Amino acid sequence: MEKKFIVKMIQNCFKQYYEEDSIPIGNQELEQLANRILSIKQEEPATNLYEVVNDIVYEFMID
């Protein structure tokens, strides 16, 4: 799976909660979230990617 696609999905997910210019995540954190999502998808390939992205972003926001 392409990491660029995952990063774009993460950014789009954040746009649901914040204005585009005020997304509260830096490049390093974005990279970490993308790697975490890719790891989950490798471990559980049957999981829905959209759900995994949303869950990870939500977890990030409540921490």
Side-chain angles (χ1 to χ4, degrees):
M1 190 169 308
E2 183 136 352
K3 188 182 275 190
K4 287 181 183 182
F5 178 67
I6 301 292
V7 168
K8 190 69 170 173
M9 288 182 73
I10 294 169
Q11 291 171 331
N12 287 337
C13 191
F14 272 110
K15 287 177 188 177
Q16 295 175 29
Y17 304 104
Y18 298 95
E19 293 181 23
E20 189 170 340
D21 295 336
S22 64
I23 296 175
I25 188 169
N27 288 336
Q28 184 177 12
E29 292 169 318
L30 189 59
E31 184 81 16
Q32 290 173 346
L33 291 181
N35 288 335
R36 190 167 165 205
I37 291 166
L38 287 168
S39 175
I40 290 170
K41 279 300 287 177
Q42 285 179 341
E43 293 172 9
E44 303 172 31
T47 58
N48 183 307
L49 179 60
Y50 180 77
E51 290 177 11
V52 172
V53 170
N54 280 301
D55 289 347
I56 296 299
V57 169
Y58 181 76
E59 287 176 18
F60 175 83
M61 290 176 32
I62 62 172
D63 281 343

